[in-house]
Amino acid sequence: LEHGIFKEICRQAEFDPKNRYVLLIDEINRGNIPKIFGELITLIEDEKREEYSLNLTYSKELFTVPKNLYIIGTMNTADQSISQLDIALRRRFSHKELMPDPTKIDEKIKHKLTKDVDGNPAGTSMEISLKSILVNINKKILKNAGREKQIGHSYFMKKGKSISDANGGISLLRDRLWNKIIPLIQEYFYEDMKSVHVILGDGFIDKNEEVVVRDNLDD
């Protein structure tokens, strides 16, 4: 028999009551809950911590969950599997919603145009506001795809900091748009490029040809 992660951290927390321990379960709604907690899900409730014990199925060892262990489960509300989340699990957790936060990316990236855009001559410098991009895309997603489909500010971040001229600038922003944000919005409106055009506009989508305008993205 091998101890699982949950059992191991419970033991560590139990023998070190003066410190806090944290178990983070990413995308808990995609996990196999019986395999994560075994038969112990009832013991994670606040009022049962250290007050109740269970005999483990295989080892017959008496087991309890210490009060200094904190369990954090993350979920993505854009994921359809969240609607099937077991109510027994849901009611044992407090819930905190984390919505896109444009203030995390209040940066402007400098860029020199390589061709005429809106009548500006080539070589004209402009500033691109990440905050404005996120706010405006999400306004359109909110209206056309629903509240839960809004994109997060992390798409415009690198290693916990906003994309800036110092950490990738326009090249990184272009990469995130081309490889992450545009494909995600295309997935929202599968085989419906006209709806993608409503979100991203003429600058990125040719609604007649129903393709991404790569030349504009390169610029």
Side-chain angles (χ1 to χ4, degrees), residues 135-219:
V135 168
N136 283 294
I137 286 179
N138 276 341
K139 279 182 180 178
K140 294 177 182 179
I141 290 176
L142 180 65
K143 181 178 180 181
N144 295 279
R147 180 176 181 273
E148 309 302 336
K149 300 285 188 181
Q150 295 176 84
I151 64 174
H153 50 268
S154 63
Y155 282 106
F156 300 92
M157 301 180 79
K158 179 181 180 180
K159 294 183 178 180
K161 294 183 179 180
S162 173
I163 294 174
S164 68
D165 291 326
N167 68 2
I170 192 69
S171 296
L172 183 56
L173 175 59
R174 183 186 293 118
D175 177 75
R176 295 292 173 83
L177 285 164
W178 180 249
N179 293 311
K180 293 183 180 293
I181 296 172
I182 293 175
L184 177 67
I185 295 172
Q186 286 178 294
E187 182 66 25
Y188 287 168
F189 302 98
Y190 188 64
E191 295 185 345
D192 182 8
M193 286 296 283
K194 287 183 170 57
S195 292
V196 178
H197 173 266
V198 171
I199 304 298
L200 295 173
D202 294 326
F204 290 120
I205 305 296
D206 184 327
K207 66 179 177 181
N208 295 318
E209 296 294 328
E210 296 193 357
V211 294
V212 178
V213 184
R214 184 62 193 254
D215 288 347
N216 285 354
L217 190 60
D218 286 340
D219 194 49

Coordinates of all heavy atoms in Angstrom, one line a residue, residues 135-219:
V135 N -11.2 44.7 -21.8 CA -12.5 45.3 -21.5 C -13.5 45.2 -22.7 O -14.6 44.7 -22.6 CB -12.4 46.7 -21.0 CG1 -13.8 47.4 -20.9 CG2 -11.8 46.7 -19.6
N136 N -13.0 45.6 -23.9 CA -13.8 45.6 -25.1 C -14.2 44.2 -25.6 O -15.3 44.0 -26.0 CB -13.1 46.5 -26.1 CG -13.3 48.0 -25.8 OD1 -14.4 48.5 -25.9 ND2 -12.2 48.6 -25.6
I137 N -13.2 43.3 -25.6 CA -13.5 41.9 -26.0 C -14.5 41.3 -25.1 O -15.5 40.7 -25.5 CB -12.2 41.1 -26.0 CG1 -11.4 41.5 -27.2 CG2 -12.6 39.6 -26.1 CD1 -10.1 40.7 -27.3
N138 N -14.4 41.5 -23.8 CA -15.3 40.9 -22.8 C -16.7 41.6 -22.9 O -17.7 40.9 -22.6 CB -14.7 41.0 -21.4 CG -13.8 39.9 -21.1 OD1 -13.8 38.9 -21.8 ND2 -13.0 40.0 -20.1
K139 N -16.8 42.8 -23.2 CA -18.1 43.4 -23.4 C -18.9 42.7 -24.5 O -20.1 42.5 -24.4 CB -18.0 44.9 -23.7 CG -17.7 45.8 -22.5 CD -17.6 47.3 -23.0 CE -17.4 48.2 -21.8 NZ -17.3 49.6 -22.2
K140 N -18.2 42.4 -25.6 CA -18.8 41.8 -26.7 C -19.1 40.3 -26.4 O -20.1 39.8 -26.8 CB -17.9 41.9 -27.9 CG -17.8 43.4 -28.4 CD -16.9 43.5 -29.6 CE -16.7 44.9 -30.0 NZ -15.8 45.1 -31.2
I141 N -18.2 39.6 -25.7 CA -18.4 38.2 -25.3 C -19.6 38.2 -24.4 O -20.5 37.3 -24.5 CB -17.2 37.6 -24.7 CG1 -16.1 37.4 -25.7 CG2 -17.5 36.3 -24.0 CD1 -14.8 36.9 -25.1
L142 N -19.7 39.1 -23.4 CA -20.8 39.1 -22.5 C -22.2 39.2 -23.2 O -23.1 38.6 -22.9 CB -20.6 40.3 -21.5 CG -21.7 40.5 -20.4 CD1 -21.7 39.4 -19.5 CD2 -21.4 41.9 -19.7
K143 N -22.2 40.1 -24.2 CA -23.4 40.3 -25.0 C -23.8 39.1 -25.9 O -25.0 38.8 -26.0 CB -23.3 41.6 -25.8 CG -24.6 42.0 -26.6 CD -24.4 43.3 -27.3 CE -25.6 43.6 -28.1 NZ -25.4 44.9 -28.9
N144 N -22.8 38.5 -26.5 CA -23.0 37.5 -27.5 C -22.8 36.1 -27.1 O -23.3 35.2 -27.8 CB -22.2 37.9 -28.7 CG -22.5 39.2 -29.4 OD1 -23.4 39.3 -30.2 ND2 -21.7 40.2 -29.1
A145 N -22.1 35.8 -26.1 CA -21.8 34.5 -25.7 C -22.1 34.1 -24.2 O -22.2 33.0 -23.9 CB -20.3 34.1 -25.9
G146 N -22.3 35.2 -23.4 CA -22.7 34.9 -22.0 C -21.6 35.3 -21.0 O -20.4 35.3 -21.4
R147 N -22.0 35.5 -19.8 CA -21.1 36.0 -18.8 C -19.9 35.1 -18.5 O -18.8 35.5 -18.2 CB -21.9 36.2 -17.5 CG -21.2 36.7 -16.3 CD -22.2 37.0 -15.2 NE -21.5 37.5 -14.0 CZ -21.0 36.7 -13.0 NH1 -21.1 35.4 -13.1 NH2 -20.4 37.3 -12.0
E148 N -20.2 33.8 -18.5 CA -19.2 32.8 -18.1 C -18.1 32.6 -19.1 O -17.1 31.9 -18.9 CB -19.9 31.5 -17.8 CG -21.1 31.5 -16.8 CD -20.7 32.1 -15.5 OE1 -19.5 32.1 -15.1 OE2 -21.6 32.7 -14.8
K149 N -18.3 33.1 -20.3 CA -17.3 32.9 -21.4 C -16.3 34.0 -21.5 O -15.4 34.0 -22.3 CB -18.0 32.9 -22.7 CG -19.1 31.7 -22.9 CD -18.4 30.4 -23.0 CE -19.5 29.3 -23.4 NZ -18.9 28.0 -23.5
Q150 N -16.4 35.0 -20.6 CA -15.4 36.1 -20.7 C -14.0 35.6 -20.5 O -13.7 34.7 -19.7 CB -15.7 37.2 -19.6 CG -17.0 37.9 -19.8 CD -17.4 38.8 -18.7 OE1 -16.9 40.0 -18.7 NE2 -18.1 38.4 -17.7
I151 N -13.0 36.2 -21.1 CA -11.6 35.8 -21.0 C -10.9 36.5 -19.8 O -11.2 37.6 -19.5 CB -10.8 36.0 -22.3 CG1 -10.7 37.5 -22.6 CG2 -11.5 35.3 -23.5 CD1 -9.8 37.8 -23.8
G152 N -10.0 35.8 -19.3 CA -9.3 36.3 -18.1 C -8.1 37.1 -18.4 O -7.6 37.1 -19.5
H153 N -7.7 37.9 -17.4 CA -6.6 38.8 -17.6 C -5.2 38.1 -17.7 O -4.3 38.6 -18.2 CB -6.5 39.8 -16.4 CG -6.6 39.1 -15.0 ND1 -7.8 39.0 -14.4 CD2 -5.6 38.6 -14.2 CE1 -7.5 38.3 -13.2 NE2 -6.2 38.1 -13.1
S154 N -5.2 36.8 -17.3 CA -4.0 36.0 -17.4 C -3.5 35.8 -18.8 O -2.3 35.6 -19.0 CB -4.1 34.6 -16.7 OG -5.1 33.9 -17.4
Y155 N -4.4 36.0 -19.8 CA -3.9 35.9 -21.2 C -3.0 37.0 -21.6 O -2.2 36.9 -22.5 CB -5.1 36.0 -22.1 CG -5.9 34.7 -22.2 CD1 -7.1 34.5 -21.6 CD2 -5.4 33.6 -22.9 CE1 -7.9 33.3 -21.7 CE2 -6.1 32.4 -23.0 CZ -7.3 32.3 -22.4 OH -8.0 31.1 -22.5
F156 N -3.0 38.1 -20.8 CA -2.2 39.3 -21.0 C -1.1 39.4 -20.0 O -0.6 40.5 -19.8 CB -3.1 40.5 -21.1 CG -4.1 40.5 -22.1 CD1 -5.4 40.0 -21.8 CD2 -3.9 40.9 -23.4 CE1 -6.4 40.0 -22.8 CE2 -4.9 40.9 -24.4 CZ -6.1 40.4 -24.1
M157 N -0.7 38.3 -19.4 CA 0.3 38.3 -18.3 C 1.4 37.3 -18.6 O 1.2 36.3 -19.3 CB -0.3 38.0 -17.0 CG -1.4 39.0 -16.6 SD -2.1 38.7 -14.9 CE -0.8 39.4 -13.9
K158 N 2.6 37.5 -18.1 CA 3.7 36.6 -18.1 C 4.3 36.5 -16.8 O 4.8 37.5 -16.2 CB 4.7 37.0 -19.2 CG 5.9 36.1 -19.3 CD 6.8 36.6 -20.4 CE 8.0 35.7 -20.5 NZ 9.0 36.2 -21.6
K159 N 4.4 35.3 -16.2 CA 5.0 35.1 -14.9 C 4.4 36.1 -13.8 O 5.2 36.7 -13.0 CB 6.5 35.3 -15.0 CG 7.2 34.2 -15.8 CD 8.7 34.3 -15.8 CE 9.3 33.2 -16.7 NZ 10.8 33.3 -16.7
G160 N 3.1 36.2 -13.9 CA 2.4 37.0 -12.8 C 2.4 38.5 -13.0 O 1.9 39.2 -12.2
K161 N 3.0 39.0 -14.1 CA 3.1 40.4 -14.4 C 2.5 40.7 -15.8 O 2.5 39.9 -16.7 CB 4.5 40.9 -14.4 CG 5.2 40.8 -13.0 CD 6.6 41.4 -13.0 CE 7.2 41.3 -11.7 NZ 8.6 41.9 -11.7
S162 N 1.9 41.9 -15.9 CA 1.3 42.3 -17.1 C 2.4 42.3 -18.3 O 3.5 42.6 -18.1 CB 0.8 43.7 -17.0 OG 0.3 44.2 -18.2
I163 N 1.9 41.9 -19.5 CA 2.8 42.0 -20.6 C 3.2 43.5 -20.8 O 2.4 44.4 -20.6 CB 2.1 41.5 -21.9 CG1 1.8 40.0 -21.8 CG2 2.9 41.9 -23.1 CD1 1.0 39.5 -23.0
S164 N 4.5 43.7 -21.0 CA 5.0 45.1 -21.2 C 6.1 45.1 -22.2 O 6.5 44.1 -22.7 CB 5.5 45.6 -19.8 OG 6.6 44.9 -19.4
D165 N 6.6 46.3 -22.5 CA 7.7 46.4 -23.4 C 9.0 45.7 -22.9 O 9.8 45.3 -23.6 CB 8.0 47.9 -23.7 CG 6.9 48.6 -24.5 OD1 6.3 47.9 -25.4 OD2 6.7 49.8 -24.3
A166 N 9.0 45.5 -21.6 CA 10.2 44.9 -20.9 C 10.2 43.4 -20.9 O 11.2 42.8 -20.7 CB 10.3 45.5 -19.5
N167 N 9.0 42.8 -21.2 CA 9.0 41.3 -21.0 C 8.3 40.6 -22.2 O 7.7 39.6 -22.1 CB 8.2 40.9 -19.7 CG 6.8 41.2 -19.8 OD1 6.2 41.8 -20.7 ND2 6.1 41.0 -18.7
G168 N 8.4 41.2 -23.4 CA 7.9 40.5 -24.6 C 7.2 41.5 -25.5 O 7.1 41.3 -26.7
G169 N 6.5 42.5 -24.9 CA 5.9 43.5 -25.7 C 4.9 43.0 -26.8 O 4.2 42.1 -26.6
I170 N 5.1 43.7 -27.9 CA 4.1 43.5 -29.0 C 4.2 42.0 -29.6 O 3.2 41.5 -30.0 CB 4.4 44.5 -30.2 CG1 3.2 44.4 -31.2 CG2 5.7 44.3 -30.8 CD1 1.9 44.9 -30.7
S171 N 5.5 41.5 -29.5 CA 5.6 40.1 -30.0 C 4.8 39.1 -29.2 O 4.2 38.2 -29.7 CB 7.1 39.7 -30.1 OG 7.8 40.5 -30.9
L172 N 4.9 39.3 -27.9 CA 4.2 38.4 -27.0 C 2.7 38.6 -27.1 O 1.9 37.6 -27.1 CB 4.7 38.6 -25.5 CG 4.0 37.7 -24.5 CD1 4.3 36.2 -24.8 CD2 4.6 38.0 -23.1
L173 N 2.3 39.8 -27.2 CA 0.8 40.1 -27.4 C 0.3 39.5 -28.6 O -0.8 38.9 -28.7 CB 0.6 41.6 -27.4 CG -0.9 42.1 -27.7 CD1 -1.8 41.5 -26.6 CD2 -0.9 43.6 -27.7
R174 N 1.1 39.6 -29.7 CA 0.7 39.0 -31.0 C 0.6 37.5 -30.9 O -0.4 36.9 -31.4 CB 1.7 39.4 -32.1 CG 1.4 38.9 -33.5 CD 2.5 39.1 -34.4 NE 2.7 40.5 -34.7 CZ 3.8 41.2 -34.4 NH1 4.8 40.6 -33.8 NH2 3.9 42.5 -34.6
D175 N 1.5 36.9 -30.2 CA 1.5 35.4 -30.0 C 0.2 35.0 -29.2 O -0.4 34.0 -29.5 CB 2.7 35.0 -29.2 CG 2.7 33.5 -28.9 OD1 2.9 32.7 -29.9 OD2 2.5 33.2 -27.8
R176 N -0.1 35.8 -28.1 CA -1.2 35.4 -27.3 C -2.5 35.5 -28.1 O -3.4 34.7 -28.0 CB -1.3 36.3 -26.0 CG -0.1 36.1 -25.1 CD -0.2 34.7 -24.4 NE 1.0 34.4 -23.7 CZ 1.2 34.9 -22.4 NH1 0.3 35.6 -21.8 NH2 2.3 34.6 -21.7
L177 N -2.6 36.6 -28.9 CA -3.8 36.8 -29.8 C -3.9 35.6 -30.8 O -5.0 35.0 -30.9 CB -3.8 38.1 -30.5 CG -4.1 39.3 -29.6 CD1 -3.7 40.6 -30.3 CD2 -5.6 39.4 -29.3
W178 N -2.8 35.4 -31.5 CA -2.9 34.4 -32.6 C -3.1 33.0 -32.1 O -3.8 32.2 -32.7 CB -1.6 34.5 -33.4 CG -1.4 33.6 -34.5 CD1 -0.6 32.5 -34.6 CD2 -2.2 33.6 -35.7 NE1 -0.8 31.9 -35.8 CE2 -1.8 32.5 -36.5 CE3 -3.2 34.4 -36.2 CZ2 -2.3 32.2 -37.8 CZ3 -3.7 34.2 -37.5 CH2 -3.3 33.1 -38.2
N179 N -2.4 32.6 -31.0 CA -2.3 31.2 -30.6 C -3.3 30.9 -29.4 O -3.5 29.7 -29.1 CB -0.9 30.8 -30.2 CG 0.0 30.8 -31.3 OD1 -0.3 30.2 -32.4 ND2 1.2 31.5 -31.2
K180 N -3.8 31.9 -28.7 CA -4.7 31.6 -27.6 C -6.0 32.2 -27.6 O -7.1 31.6 -27.6 CB -3.9 32.0 -26.3 CG -2.7 31.1 -26.0 CD -2.1 31.5 -24.7 CE -0.8 30.7 -24.4 NZ -1.1 29.3 -24.1
I181 N -6.1 33.6 -27.8 CA -7.3 34.3 -27.6 C -8.2 34.1 -28.8 O -9.4 33.7 -28.7 CB -7.1 35.8 -27.4 CG1 -6.4 36.0 -26.1 CG2 -8.4 36.6 -27.4 CD1 -5.9 37.4 -25.8
I182 N -7.7 34.2 -30.0 CA -8.5 34.0 -31.2 C -9.0 32.6 -31.4 O -10.2 32.4 -31.6 CB -7.8 34.5 -32.5 CG1 -7.6 36.0 -32.5 CG2 -8.5 34.1 -33.8 CD1 -6.8 36.6 -33.6
P183 N -8.2 31.6 -31.2 CA -8.7 30.2 -31.2 C -9.7 29.9 -30.1 O -10.7 29.1 -30.4 CB -7.4 29.3 -30.9 CG -6.3 30.2 -31.4 CD -6.7 31.6 -31.1
L184 N -9.6 30.5 -28.9 CA -10.6 30.3 -27.9 C -12.0 30.9 -28.3 O -13.0 30.2 -28.2 CB -10.2 31.0 -26.6 CG -11.2 30.9 -25.4 CD1 -11.3 29.5 -25.0 CD2 -10.7 31.8 -24.3
I185 N -12.0 32.1 -28.9 CA -13.2 32.7 -29.4 C -13.8 31.9 -30.6 O -15.0 31.7 -30.7 CB -13.0 34.2 -29.7 CG1 -12.6 34.9 -28.4 CG2 -14.3 34.8 -30.3 CD1 -12.2 36.3 -28.6
Q186 N -12.9 31.4 -31.4 CA -13.4 30.5 -32.5 C -14.1 29.2 -31.9 O -15.0 28.8 -32.5 CB -12.2 30.1 -33.4 CG -11.8 31.3 -34.3 CD -10.6 30.8 -35.2 OE1 -9.5 30.6 -34.7 NE2 -10.8 30.8 -36.5
E187 N -13.5 28.7 -30.8 CA -14.1 27.6 -30.2 C -15.5 27.9 -29.6 O -16.4 27.1 -29.7 CB -13.2 27.0 -29.1 CG -13.7 25.8 -28.4 CD -13.7 24.6 -29.3 OE1 -12.9 24.5 -30.3 OE2 -14.5 23.6 -29.0
Y188 N -15.6 29.1 -29.1 CA -16.9 29.5 -28.5 C -18.0 29.5 -29.6 O -19.2 29.1 -29.4 CB -16.9 30.9 -28.0 CG -16.1 31.1 -26.7 CD1 -15.8 32.3 -26.2 CD2 -15.8 30.0 -25.9 CE1 -15.1 32.5 -25.0 CE2 -15.1 30.1 -24.7 CZ -14.8 31.4 -24.2 OH -14.1 31.5 -23.0
F189 N -17.6 29.9 -30.8 CA -18.6 30.0 -32.0 C -18.1 29.0 -33.1 O -17.8 29.4 -34.2 CB -18.6 31.4 -32.5 CG -19.0 32.4 -31.4 CD1 -18.1 33.2 -30.8 CD2 -20.4 32.6 -31.1 CE1 -18.4 34.1 -29.9 CE2 -20.7 33.5 -30.1 CZ -19.7 34.3 -29.5
Y190 N -18.1 27.7 -32.8 CA -17.6 26.7 -33.7 C -18.3 26.8 -35.0 O -19.5 26.8 -35.1 CB -17.7 25.3 -33.1 CG -17.1 24.3 -33.8 CD1 -15.7 24.2 -33.9 CD2 -17.8 23.2 -34.4 CE1 -15.0 23.2 -34.7 CE2 -17.2 22.2 -35.1 CZ -15.8 22.2 -35.3 OH -15.1 21.3 -36.0
E191 N -17.5 26.9 -36.1 CA -17.9 27.0 -37.5 C -18.9 28.2 -37.7 O -19.8 28.1 -38.5 CB -18.6 25.7 -37.9 CG -17.6 24.5 -38.0 CD -18.3 23.2 -38.5 OE1 -19.5 23.2 -38.6 OE2 -17.5 22.3 -38.8
D192 N -18.7 29.2 -37.0 CA -19.6 30.4 -37.1 C -18.7 31.7 -37.0 O -18.6 32.4 -36.0 CB -20.6 30.5 -36.0 CG -21.6 31.7 -36.1 OD1 -21.5 32.4 -37.2 OD2 -22.3 31.9 -35.2
M193 N -17.9 31.9 -38.1 CA -16.9 33.0 -38.1 C -17.6 34.4 -38.1 O -17.0 35.3 -37.7 CB -16.0 32.8 -39.3 CG -15.0 31.7 -39.2 SD -13.8 32.0 -37.9 CE -12.7 33.3 -38.6
K194 N -18.9 34.4 -38.5 CA -19.5 35.7 -38.5 C -19.7 36.2 -37.1 O -19.6 37.4 -36.7 CB -20.9 35.6 -39.2 CG -20.8 35.5 -40.7 CD -22.1 35.5 -41.4 CE -21.9 35.7 -42.9 NZ -21.1 34.6 -43.6
S195 N -20.0 35.2 -36.1 CA -20.1 35.6 -34.7 C -18.7 35.9 -34.2 O -18.6 36.8 -33.3 CB -20.7 34.4 -33.9 OG -22.0 34.2 -34.3
V196 N -17.7 35.3 -34.6 CA -16.3 35.6 -34.2 C -16.0 37.0 -34.7 O -15.4 37.8 -34.0 CB -15.3 34.6 -34.8 CG1 -13.8 35.0 -34.4 CG2 -15.6 33.2 -34.3
H197 N -16.4 37.4 -35.9 CA -16.2 38.7 -36.4 C -16.9 39.8 -35.5 O -16.4 40.9 -35.3 CB -16.8 38.8 -37.8 CG -16.8 40.2 -38.4 ND1 -17.9 41.0 -38.3 CD2 -15.8 40.9 -39.0 CE1 -17.6 42.2 -38.9 NE2 -16.3 42.1 -39.3
V198 N -18.1 39.4 -35.0 CA -18.8 40.4 -34.1 C -17.9 40.7 -32.9 O -17.9 41.8 -32.4 CB -20.2 39.8 -33.7 CG1 -20.8 40.6 -32.6 CG2 -21.1 39.7 -34.9
I199 N -17.2 39.7 -32.4 CA -16.4 39.9 -31.2 C -15.1 40.7 -31.6 O -14.7 41.6 -30.9 CB -16.0 38.6 -30.6 CG1 -17.2 37.8 -30.2 CG2 -15.1 38.8 -29.3 CD1 -18.2 38.4 -29.2
L200 N -14.4 40.3 -32.7 CA -13.1 40.8 -33.0 C -13.0 41.9 -34.0 O -12.0 42.6 -34.1 CB -12.2 39.6 -33.4 CG -11.9 38.6 -32.3 CD1 -11.2 37.4 -32.8 CD2 -11.2 39.2 -31.1
G201 N -14.0 42.0 -34.8 CA -14.1 43.1 -35.8 C -13.3 42.9 -37.1 O -12.6 41.9 -37.3
D202 N -13.3 43.9 -38.0 CA -12.7 43.8 -39.3 C -11.2 43.7 -39.2 O -10.5 43.1 -40.1 CB -13.1 45.0 -40.1 CG -14.5 45.1 -40.5 OD1 -15.1 44.0 -40.7 OD2 -15.1 46.2 -40.6
G203 N -10.6 44.2 -38.1 CA -9.2 44.2 -38.0 C -8.6 42.8 -37.9 O -7.4 42.6 -38.3
F204 N -9.4 41.9 -37.4 CA -8.8 40.5 -37.2 C -9.6 39.5 -38.0 O -9.0 38.4 -38.3 CB -9.0 40.1 -35.7 CG -8.0 40.9 -34.8 CD1 -8.5 41.6 -33.8 CD2 -6.6 40.8 -35.0 CE1 -7.6 42.3 -33.0 CE2 -5.8 41.4 -34.2 CZ -6.2 42.2 -33.2
I205 N -10.8 39.7 -38.4 CA -11.6 38.7 -39.1 C -12.2 39.3 -40.4 O -12.8 40.3 -40.4 CB -12.8 38.2 -38.2 CG1 -12.3 37.7 -36.9 CG2 -13.6 37.1 -39.0 CD1 -11.4 36.5 -36.9
D206 N -11.9 38.6 -41.5 CA -12.6 38.9 -42.8 C -13.9 38.1 -42.8 O -13.9 36.9 -43.0 CB -11.7 38.5 -43.9 CG -12.2 38.8 -45.3 OD1 -13.5 38.8 -45.5 OD2 -11.4 39.1 -46.2
K207 N -15.0 38.8 -42.6 CA -16.3 38.1 -42.5 C -16.8 37.5 -43.8 O -17.6 36.6 -43.8 CB -17.3 39.0 -41.9 CG -17.7 40.2 -42.7 CD -18.8 41.0 -42.0 CE -19.2 42.2 -42.8 NZ -20.2 43.0 -42.0
N208 N -16.3 38.0 -44.9 CA -16.7 37.5 -46.2 C -15.9 36.2 -46.5 O -16.5 35.2 -46.9 CB -16.5 38.5 -47.3 CG -17.3 39.7 -47.2 OD1 -18.5 39.6 -46.9 ND2 -16.8 40.9 -47.4
E209 N -14.6 36.2 -46.3 CA -13.8 35.0 -46.5 C -13.8 34.1 -45.3 O -13.4 32.9 -45.4 CB -12.3 35.4 -46.8 CG -12.1 36.2 -48.1 CD -12.4 35.5 -49.3 OE1 -12.2 34.2 -49.3 OE2 -12.9 36.1 -50.3
E210 N -14.3 34.6 -44.2 CA -14.4 33.8 -42.9 C -13.0 33.3 -42.5 O -12.9 32.1 -42.2 CB -15.4 32.7 -43.1 CG -16.8 33.2 -43.3 CD -17.9 32.2 -43.1 OE1 -17.5 31.0 -42.8 OE2 -19.1 32.5 -43.2
V211 N -12.0 34.2 -42.5 CA -10.7 33.8 -42.1 C -10.1 34.9 -41.2 O -10.6 36.0 -41.2 CB -9.7 33.6 -43.3 CG1 -10.2 32.4 -44.1 CG2 -9.6 34.9 -44.2
V212 N -9.1 34.5 -40.4 CA -8.3 35.5 -39.6 C -7.5 36.3 -40.6 O -6.8 35.8 -41.4 CB -7.5 34.8 -38.6 CG1 -6.7 35.9 -37.8 CG2 -8.4 34.0 -37.6
V213 N -7.5 37.7 -40.4 CA -6.6 38.5 -41.2 C -5.2 38.6 -40.7 O -4.9 39.4 -39.8 CB -7.2 40.0 -41.3 CG1 -6.4 40.9 -42.2 CG2 -8.7 39.9 -41.7
R214 N -4.4 37.7 -41.1 CA -3.1 37.5 -40.6 C -2.2 38.7 -40.8 O -1.4 39.1 -40.0 CB -2.4 36.3 -41.2 CG -1.0 36.0 -40.6 CD -1.1 35.7 -39.1 NE 0.2 35.7 -38.5 CZ 0.8 34.6 -38.1 NH1 0.3 33.4 -38.3 NH2 2.0 34.7 -37.4
D215 N -2.3 39.4 -41.9 CA -1.5 40.6 -42.2 C -1.7 41.7 -41.1 O -0.7 42.3 -40.7 CB -1.8 41.2 -43.6 CG -1.3 40.3 -44.7 OD1 -0.5 39.4 -44.4 OD2 -1.7 40.5 -45.8
N216 N -2.9 41.9 -40.7 CA -3.2 42.9 -39.7 C -2.6 42.5 -38.4 O -2.1 43.3 -37.6 CB -4.7 43.2 -39.6 CG -5.2 44.0 -40.7 OD1 -4.5 44.5 -41.5 ND2 -6.5 44.2 -40.7
L217 N -2.7 41.2 -38.1 CA -2.2 40.7 -36.8 C -0.7 40.8 -36.8 O -0.1 41.1 -35.7 CB -2.6 39.2 -36.6 CG -2.4 38.6 -35.3 CD1 -3.1 39.3 -34.2 CD2 -2.8 37.1 -35.3
D218 N 0.0 40.6 -37.9 CA 1.4 40.8 -38.0 C 1.8 42.2 -37.7 O 2.9 42.5 -37.2 CB 2.0 40.3 -39.3 CG 2.0 38.8 -39.4 OD1 1.9 38.1 -38.4 OD2 2.0 38.3 -40.6
D219 N 0.9 43.1 -38.0 CA 1.3 44.5 -37.8 C 0.8 45.0 -36.5 O 0.9 46.2 -36.2 CB 0.6 45.4 -39.0 CG 1.2 46.8 -39.0 OD1 2.5 46.9 -39.0 OD2 0.5 47.8 -39.0

